[in-house]
Amino acid sequence: MIKIRIICVGKIKEPYLRKGIEYYQKKLEKKAEIEIIEVEDEKTPDRASKKEEDKIREIEGKRICHYIPEQSQVFALCIEGKQLTTEKLKRTIKQHVDAGRNAFTFIIGGSLGLAPEVVKKAQYKISFSAMTFPHQMMRMILLEQLERVA
């Protein structure tokens, strides 16, 4: 059975997203061991400078890095990532499983994205769309896609 860890910044506050996440998580749990780790998000001041935003990403990045396992295939969800089809993601995961690697970590950053040190730890940088989605919604979208490919 594959092991999936999702590391994400912040908690889900919206009830409709919590319900969707719970729904897909329960479906996925039939096929894989799943662990969701929420790290604390930093408050971003209105009109934050680039320096302030970089510092926030750095703080959140350190929290994320603490939970990245050594022996896991790491997928960072980021704007500069490659867009994959569901089938390509499925093939990628299957190739690792066939090679005896069954641990996968997916990382969803906060509203400012991921720190460079987090992205560097990832073997895969993926983007789900050229559009921007709220990071809380990405958790539900990711779980739905993982349920399809597991």
Side-chain angles (χ1 to χ4, degrees), residues 85-149:
T85 64
T86 302
E87 191 54 41
K88 174 66 175 159
L89 179 59
K90 185 174 189 166
R91 282 194 309 271
T92 301
I93 289 174
K94 185 178 182 326
Q95 287 172 346
H96 285 291
V97 171
D98 290 348
R101 297 181 297 267
N102 69 339
F104 302 91
T105 300
F106 293 84
I107 303 171
I108 303 170
S111 59
L112 298 175
L114 292 170
E117 64 266 22
V118 174
V119 176
K120 285 179 193 165
K121 289 185 176 281
Q123 289 88 13
Y124 299 92
K125 295 151 195 72
I126 59 175
S127 172
F128 276 55
S129 174
M131 295 182 199
T132 302
F133 296 106
H135 62 281
Q136 298 94 337
M137 189 175 286
M138 278 311 305
R139 192 180 316 181
M140 183 173 66
I141 294 169
L142 174 61
L143 284 165
E144 189 277 338
Q145 287 296 295
L146 291 174
E147 193 277 325
R148 286 179 186 265
V149 303

Side-chain angles (χ1 to χ4, degrees), residues 13 41-45 56 60:
K13 297 170 185 83
D41 58 338
E42 286 295 303
K43 301 298 177 229
T44 304
I56 290 168
E60 291 175 348

Side-chain angles (χ1 to χ4, degrees), residues 40-90:
E40 183 182 354
D41 58 338
E42 286 295 303
K43 301 298 177 229
T44 304
D46 290 339
R47 297 186 202 97
S49 68
K50 180 175 177 349
K51 186 176 180 179
E52 288 172 311
E53 289 181 354
D54 290 344
K55 184 65 176 170
I56 290 168
R57 275 191 291 274
E58 179 185 337
I59 292 167
E60 291 175 348
K62 286 180 182 172
R63 291 176 184 153
I64 290 168
C65 288
H66 177 75
Y67 291 101
I68 298 174
E70 289 289 323
Q71 300 300 318
S72 186
Q73 298 304 304
V74 180
F75 293 75
L77 279 65
C78 49
I79 291 172
E80 66 272 15
K82 181 178 179 183
Q83 291 185 21
L84 302 178
T85 64
T86 302
E87 191 54 41
K88 174 66 175 159
L89 179 59
K90 185 174 189 166

